[in-house]
Amino acid sequence: MAPNALSDRLRDIVGPDAILTTPSDLLVYECDGYTIEKNKPDVVVFPTTTEQIVRIVEVCNDLKVPFLPRGAGTSLAGGCLPVGGGVVLALTRMKRILEVSTRDRYAVVEPGVVNLWLTRHLQPLGYHFAPDPSSQGACTIGGNVATNSGGPHTLKYGVTVNHVLGLELVLPDGRVVQTGGPAEDNPGYDLTGVIVGSEGTLGIVTKVWVRLTRNPDAYRTLLAVFETVDDATNTISDLIGAGIVPAALEMLDRLILQAVEEAFHFGFPLDAGAVLIMEVDGLEAGLDADAQRIAAMARKNRAREVRQARSEAERLLLWKCRKQAFGAVGRLAPSYCTQDGVVPRTQLPHMLRQIQRIGEKYRLRIANVFHAGDGNIHPILLFDERDPEQVQRVLQASHDILDECLRCGGSVTGEHGIGVEKINFMPRLFSPEDLATMARLRSAFNPDNRCSPAKMLPTAGACIEPTKAGRRAAL
Amino acid sequence: MDVPTCTIDDFGPIPLLAVGSAAELGDIVRQAATQGEAVYPLGGRTFLHLGRPPTRSGRAVDLRRLNQIIDYPARDMTVTVQAGMSVAALQQLLASERQRLPVDVPCAAQATLGGALAVNASGPRRLGFGTFRDYVIGITVVNDQGHEAKAGGRVVKNVAGYDLCKLHIGALGTLGIITQVTFKVRPLPEQQALVLVGCGTATLPTLLDQLHASRSRPIAVDVLNAPAARLVLGSEPSLPWLVVVGFEDHAEVVRWQVDRLGQELACCPEYHPEVIDGPAGTAVWKGLVDFVARPEPVMTFKANLLPHAVAAFCRETNDLLEQPLIQAHAGSGIVIGHVVGDLTLERAGPMLTMLRTAATGAGGNLIVVRCPPSWKASLPVWGAPRGDGWLMRQVKKALDPHHVFNPGRFLDGI
């Protein structure tokens, strides 16, 4: 293939303003928020229609070039890393909200619509799109579909798949298909359900039918301050054990509080061992009783203080602190690396103790800020990437943490995805038979494995041995 | 000794084997696959009438002995059980910890979890709590090669690997036989209440719009026509339509919602809302959940529509000469119709064509849930063909290329 045959043909499809080919332009697209591994694509295109995507995919197939979709690039496991180069289809210019029906509680959006735009668009109508990842100001709905994104409020409302009714997809062979749709219970297989979370390996999503959720009438947002992490995690375990499921239940430990306080000046106590942000929402009736029950549970576990956000402004500031906590970590160390393990919720006290032990073993500072109610931990390992010996310790510590999650009966990823980062863990989570079944499913959509190759499922001889850790984007 | 047999939709006799373990099931599947025979999974047989008749000889497997509790860490709000366990047995287990799986399954005492998943059973509570796809976090199936293959896990949040759980729910056992499942569960609500609202045909659309916009947050909005209401309530309704609005939550929240709804509906004297709770309420809930499995009908259909179109579709159905029994889960756009009494195939065909046209026009489809097996060859059992049918066939071909599981029973070519 002549090197510019590909770019010339793609330029014909999308036009000269929607294609990048020079090395400096391509640099941005060599990784996502997972920066340990990088690889530049050969070409980046910015299609604006499904028809363009079909033609791009046809060219890629014709020239036997791998291709993959990309949203805002906020993913954290290398899901949009162009392994082996090829064409990146950046979908950020497909950003129209095509239809909103509050009576039938759905909206149709293009994949490049930013999560928060949709919720803002729906705000005056009294509805929202429930998944609210911390990156919601930047991440796209298409990206949410690819990774089955969560967020703090998924504890009550569910993850992305619970809010996606249908998809339009360009299959890796260029055919276009619509799965599901605005009405529930369409006859046949729930293809939508399996495409969500498939990390771009089953095709390129070009349209999404999302379910709309009514906004709560009211909130109560509590901040409980604990002397120790143990007391905080025991509170979480007790709450869930008592059948109390708040709308959100987040934990921040001392290290992260210091960074967040320095950045946002919320008034967090800097000497606290950990705090919990606990939110209940819904109808006004009953919220005070719910908040009191939660506060009582925190006090039973020796919370030294439980305070309630006094205004909507204070509530929003509290959530801003939580959602931008990762951004504040830069104040603690030159580099950091976060993990995304999940454990049964009763195992949280044990797991957090183990993280501390692992931190001591490898002489690393580890900060914790995570979706406690789901058992989804996000330990942040702090280091300096200029020191290769530290990098090795970070990688070993990360490995030990995920190992412990598996020992507890959990998973290595709750919301970030397998991508390329955790591909080596797949044989630990699943048997060869499980993985073979998944590979068979992929072959039904992506038989040549040209769409997002080397993602999610390990293939013989494709083991990736990361040797250096890098700085991560915000969760 | 005679081998036990069964029939499915008059097809048979099919040798019937009761399996006691996934390994035993695997052996049966492998043997069948080698011999080019089919395997027909059976649970409590409460919904065996769904789908077309089998097309190939084979063996049926009774899975009800796979009924063990594998793990119930109640404080984690998850449970792992074998799929042959009855839905009622699971609910009883969960109730001992004041928890439940908030998915309505008709005939729960007989229905197995595997069967309920295979047909994607649901009921009135789906408006407030969703369906099985919102609760299954892990699944194990015996695949076409007789091996156990799992997906998901036992934690409530997990994005490792393809979510094959979704694919098996509602697949009618055509992609593998479900042997084990992990659910996330919910606390039992402190209080339940139902508000019964009557209305005339002209007011039904307005009432449903009003309920949609209500400040209260019902977890169920079911519509019954008068003949259906008579069966569910056991008394004669005074108006052509009865709308049943369900609330479940803490006592204070339920009380507020019932009061609020009463105020909102006070504008129209016709509605005459009546609140029922306690044992009377429980009986009505059960009637609503079991309605889809009522024994009387000659033919049962299920339409899925955009919710705004439910009132018009109900009216159209109610106006049929046969006046079917109608139940609609109005907030979810699901309408179930039972045709009772004299019905011929000659009449059933055009009736379904008309209703299906209305359903597809309202963004959905219409399937035949039950009818005399001999009619199935000439009726659109699985509704109007969909644009993604070919991709479903491709998925089937990838996961069960030799059509070992339930051949002929699901969508065309699957």
Side-chain angles (χ1 to χ4, degrees), chain A residues 104 184 201 345-346 411 444, chain B residues 76 126 150 158 162 308 394:
Chain A
D104 292 323
E184 300 179 17
T201 61
R345 295 170 277 200
T346 47
S411 173
Chain B
D76 286 322
R126 60 182 289 156
K150 70 172 186 305
N158 186 3
Y162 293 120
H308 79 265
Q394 223 158 280

Side-chain angles (χ1 to χ4, degrees), chain A residues 235-268:
Chain A
T235 304
I236 298 156
S237 185
D238 282 358
L239 281 169
I240 302 295
I244 302 170
V245 184
L249 179 50
E250 302 281 309
M251 199 196 95
L252 293 79
D253 74 0
R254 178 181 297 170
L255 207 46
I256 202 86
L257 280 175
Q258 287 169 354
V260 167
E261 187 56 29
E262 205 177 305
F264 300 108
H265 313 292
F266 178 81
F268 287 115

Side-chain angles (χ1 to χ4, degrees), chain B residues 312-394:
Chain B
F313 187 87
C314 284
R315 189 171 51 203
E316 199 169 334
T317 307
N318 195 49
D319 286 347
L320 290 168
L321 198 60
E322 291 79 3
Q323 197 186 27
L325 309 171
I326 300 170
Q327 177 191 36
H329 308 312
S332 312
I334 306 295
V335 185
I336 291 144
H338 291 309
V339 188
V340 293
D342 294 330
L343 182 70
T344 60
L345 175 60
E346 290 64 38
R347 167 74 186 128
M351 180 197 287
L352 289 172
T353 303
M354 187 199 85
L355 293 171
R356 196 182 54 176
T357 306
T360 50
N365 214 323
L366 182 136
I367 64 167
V368 180
V369 174
R370 134 181 257 159
C371 71
S374 61
W375 294 9
K376 290 189 176 179
S378 42
L379 292 182
V381 172
W382 290 107
R386 284 177 49 88
D388 54 354
W390 64 271
L391 187 54
M392 293 179 193
R393 285 191 288 278
Q394 223 158 280

Side-chain angles (χ1 to χ4, degrees), chain A residues 221-463:
Chain A
T221 309
L222 305 179
L223 180 74
V225 181
F226 298 88
E227 300 293 347
T228 67
V229 169
D230 237 23
D231 289 343
T233 50
N234 281 323
T235 304
I236 298 156
S237 185
D238 282 358
L239 281 169
I240 302 295
I244 302 170
V245 184
L249 179 50
E250 302 281 309
M251 199 196 95
L252 293 79
D253 74 0
R254 178 181 297 170
L255 207 46
I256 202 86
L257 280 175
Q258 287 169 354
V260 167
E261 187 56 29
E262 205 177 305
F264 300 108
H265 313 292
F266 178 81
F268 287 115
L270 294 176
D271 59 336
V275 302
L276 291 179
I277 301 174
M278 307 183 286
E279 183 163 277
V280 288
D281 70 9
L283 295 165
E284 180 64 43
L287 277 191
D288 282 326
D290 277 349
Q292 278 161 19
R293 285 209 300 164
I294 288 171
M297 201 69 91
R299 289 200 186 91
K300 201 191 102 197
N301 282 291
R302 295 183 289 276
R304 76 171 189 221
E305 184 191 355
V306 182
R307 52 173 135 135
Q308 190 172 315
R310 284 154 302 193
S311 64
E312 182 62 7
E314 196 181 22
R315 172 178 171 265
L316 292 176
L317 179 59
L318 193 52
W319 278 116
K320 185 180 174 189
C321 291
R322 163 61 188 95
K323 291 195 174 179
Q324 298 188 7
F326 276 63
V329 169
R331 294 167 185 269
L332 297 177
S335 317
Y336 67 90
C337 163
T338 182
Q339 287 302 335
D340 178 40
V342 192
V343 293
R345 295 170 277 200
T346 47
Q347 299 290 317
L348 279 173
H350 165 80
M351 191 63 219
L352 269 288
R353 285 193 289 268
Q354 289 300 312
I355 290 174
Q356 196 190 348
R357 184 188 60 76
I358 292 166
E360 284 162 9
K361 179 179 168 192
Y362 291 102
R363 290 172 287 120
L364 291 167
R365 288 191 302 159
I366 303 181
N368 286 288
V369 48
F370 63 95
H371 310 309
D374 291 321
N376 187 187
I377 56 166
H378 291 318
I380 305 168
L381 293 75
L382 305 172
F383 66 104
D384 185 341
E385 69 182 345
R386 292 164 297 191
D387 176 356
E389 191 268 339
Q390 270 191 52
V391 172
Q392 273 313 312
R393 282 189 274 132
V394 166
L395 289 169
Q396 282 165 356
S398 295
H399 190 275
D400 282 14
I401 289 170
L402 294 181
D403 244 7
E404 189 59 33
C405 290
L406 293 182
R407 258 197 296 279
C408 292
S411 173
V412 296
T413 176
E415 55 184 15
H416 297 176
I418 294 293
V420 295
E421 183 202 18
K422 288 183 279 278
I423 210 162
N424 291 338
F425 273 96
M426 286 296 276
R428 308 260 320 268
L429 271 168
F430 296 106
S431 72
E433 206 56 57
D434 304 339
L435 293 172
T437 306
M438 290 183 191
R440 284 161 80 184
L441 174 80
R442 184 175 62 186
S443 73
F445 290 78
N446 187 11
D448 301 325
N449 202 11
R450 196 166 287 137
C451 183
S452 302
K455 301 289 164 58
M456 189 192 273
L457 298 181
T459 41
C463 274

Side-chain angles (χ1 to χ4, degrees), chain A residues 13-15 18 46-57 89:
Chain A
I13 298 168
V14 295
F46 299 85
T48 51
T49 65
T50 302
E51 294 67 35
Q52 284 183 350
I53 293 175
V54 169
R55 291 173 61 201
I56 293 163
V57 165
L89 291 94

